[in-house]
Amino acid sequence: DFVPPRIEVKATAALPSMKPLQNNPLEVSAQYYFGPPGANLKVTAESSLKTMSSPFAKWKGYQFGLIEEQWSAQRFKLPDSETDAQGKATITTKVDIEPQTTHPLQLETNVTVFEVGGRGQSTKNSTLFWHQPYLIGLSPRFKDNLSGSNTDAEFNVIAVNQQGELLPTQNLRYALYEEQHDYVWFRSGTNWQYEVITRDNIITNGTLTLEGKAPTLFKVPVKYGSYRLEVLDEKSGVASSIRFAA
């Protein structure tokens, strides 16, 4: 028979965002639903460093990082702990690597507190992980990533700091690529499968300056086809790209 949870578990990070090699304590609390604090209970935790598609609510809908770049989540087992007499425990999260990716990341920590009978109750905490000087965001001014053909495709471009505030940025490089897709068929056992090979044909490039007072309007002429717009800071390696069709 189903037995409802006996304790409520919460985990709150001391910092809203963190950087490589920086400690960020998680305050864990365990409280019985109808009784005292969950004292002297075993606590386990595991963190996972993964991509974060929308790091700032204010800039929802913006693409941050190179869309063609892959990132595999990194996992970190944290030392076990135990709640004190008030049902509290502190878990210290820390990432000792400097990720080589243009994507914004988050450190997601899963905390489990075990009831006296051995059943675990879990909660998650997600914290923005800041490993780049800033982020470049791209947002199309058209729907469903489908721009009109034989006209200008329009985008909003931003650069933001760790708090999501706009930054003035100079000497960004942009490039518009037309993506041409080839399908290579091959046999795997008794089945036929295919692999998509993408070839980039550069259409135009140049420099871009962001004043940092509001999103910058960027226009680029397109014909019919599949495209990828890329904006890059060559000095820092910060970059973003977005795919669209026309």
Side-chain angles (χ1 to χ4, degrees), residues 44 84 140 210 213 219 231 237:
T44 64
D84 59 17
L210 310 180
K213 297 178 181 179
K219 301 180 180 181
V231 179

PDB file of all heavy atoms in Angstrom, residues 44 84 140 210 213 219 231 237:
ATOM      1  N   THR A  44      22.200  12.682   1.609  1.00  0.00           N
ATOM      2  CA  THR A  44      23.100  12.456   0.480  1.00  0.00           C
ATOM      3  C   THR A  44      22.816  13.503  -0.593  1.00  0.00           C
ATOM      4  O   THR A  44      21.712  14.064  -0.655  1.00  0.00           O
ATOM      5  CB  THR A  44      22.942  11.050  -0.120  1.00  0.00           C
ATOM      6  OG1 THR A  44      21.629  10.913  -0.664  1.00  0.00           O
ATOM      7  CG2 THR A  44      23.167   9.978   0.938  1.00  0.00           C
ATOM      8  N   ASP A  84      21.014  18.067  11.933  1.00  0.00           N
ATOM      9  CA  ASP A  84      21.252  18.300  13.351  1.00  0.00           C
ATOM     10  C   ASP A  84      19.922  18.222  14.113  1.00  0.00           C
ATOM     11  O   ASP A  84      18.894  17.787  13.571  1.00  0.00           O
ATOM     12  CB  ASP A  84      21.936  19.650  13.574  1.00  0.00           C
ATOM     13  CG  ASP A  84      21.118  20.827  13.045  1.00  0.00           C
ATOM     14  OD1 ASP A  84      19.904  20.656  12.807  1.00  0.00           O
ATOM     15  OD2 ASP A  84      21.683  21.927  12.867  1.00  0.00           O
ATOM     16  N   PRO A 140      15.171  35.918 -32.722  1.00  0.00           N
ATOM     17  CA  PRO A 140      14.584  36.285 -34.016  1.00  0.00           C
ATOM     18  C   PRO A 140      13.345  37.144 -33.836  1.00  0.00           C
ATOM     19  O   PRO A 140      12.573  36.949 -32.895  1.00  0.00           O
ATOM     20  CB  PRO A 140      14.231  34.923 -34.636  1.00  0.00           C
ATOM     21  CG  PRO A 140      14.024  34.016 -33.467  1.00  0.00           C
ATOM     22  CD  PRO A 140      14.988  34.487 -32.412  1.00  0.00           C
ATOM     23  N   LEU A 210      27.331  46.592 -29.888  1.00  0.00           N
ATOM     24  CA  LEU A 210      26.135  46.662 -29.063  1.00  0.00           C
ATOM     25  C   LEU A 210      26.297  47.808 -28.074  1.00  0.00           C
ATOM     26  O   LEU A 210      27.268  47.847 -27.324  1.00  0.00           O
ATOM     27  CB  LEU A 210      25.922  45.348 -28.302  1.00  0.00           C
ATOM     28  CG  LEU A 210      25.973  44.051 -29.127  1.00  0.00           C
ATOM     29  CD1 LEU A 210      25.733  42.844 -28.228  1.00  0.00           C
ATOM     30  CD2 LEU A 210      24.957  44.087 -30.261  1.00  0.00           C
ATOM     31  N   LYS A 213      22.218  49.672 -24.185  1.00  0.00           N
ATOM     32  CA  LYS A 213      21.089  50.391 -23.585  1.00  0.00           C
ATOM     33  C   LYS A 213      19.771  49.652 -23.807  1.00  0.00           C
ATOM     34  O   LYS A 213      18.832  49.786 -23.028  1.00  0.00           O
ATOM     35  CB  LYS A 213      21.003  51.804 -24.168  1.00  0.00           C
ATOM     36  CG  LYS A 213      22.227  52.656 -23.849  1.00  0.00           C
ATOM     37  CD  LYS A 213      22.102  54.036 -24.490  1.00  0.00           C
ATOM     38  CE  LYS A 213      23.340  54.880 -24.198  1.00  0.00           C
ATOM     39  NZ  LYS A 213      23.262  56.227 -24.840  1.00  0.00           N
ATOM     40  N   LYS A 219      19.926  43.268 -38.948  1.00  0.00           N
ATOM     41  CA  LYS A 219      19.256  42.793 -40.153  1.00  0.00           C
ATOM     42  C   LYS A 219      20.261  42.172 -41.108  1.00  0.00           C
ATOM     43  O   LYS A 219      21.386  42.660 -41.238  1.00  0.00           O
ATOM     44  CB  LYS A 219      18.551  43.958 -40.867  1.00  0.00           C
ATOM     45  CG  LYS A 219      17.501  44.684 -40.044  1.00  0.00           C
ATOM     46  CD  LYS A 219      16.880  45.811 -40.852  1.00  0.00           C
ATOM     47  CE  LYS A 219      15.833  46.564 -40.056  1.00  0.00           C
ATOM     48  NZ  LYS A 219      15.212  47.669 -40.870  1.00  0.00           N
ATOM     49  N   VAL A 231      27.348  34.879 -33.941  1.00  0.00           N
ATOM     50  CA  VAL A 231      27.971  36.105 -33.428  1.00  0.00           C
ATOM     51  C   VAL A 231      29.048  35.687 -32.431  1.00  0.00           C
ATOM     52  O   VAL A 231      28.778  34.898 -31.508  1.00  0.00           O
ATOM     53  CB  VAL A 231      26.942  37.033 -32.764  1.00  0.00           C
ATOM     54  CG1 VAL A 231      27.632  38.280 -32.221  1.00  0.00           C
ATOM     55  CG2 VAL A 231      25.856  37.425 -33.765  1.00  0.00           C
ATOM     56  N   GLY A 237      36.125  34.290 -26.793  1.00  0.00           N
ATOM     57  CA  GLY A 237      35.521  33.025 -27.187  1.00  0.00           C
ATOM     58  C   GLY A 237      34.025  32.950 -26.928  1.00  0.00           C
ATOM     59  O   GLY A 237      33.389  31.949 -27.253  1.00  0.00           O
TER      60      GLY A 237
END
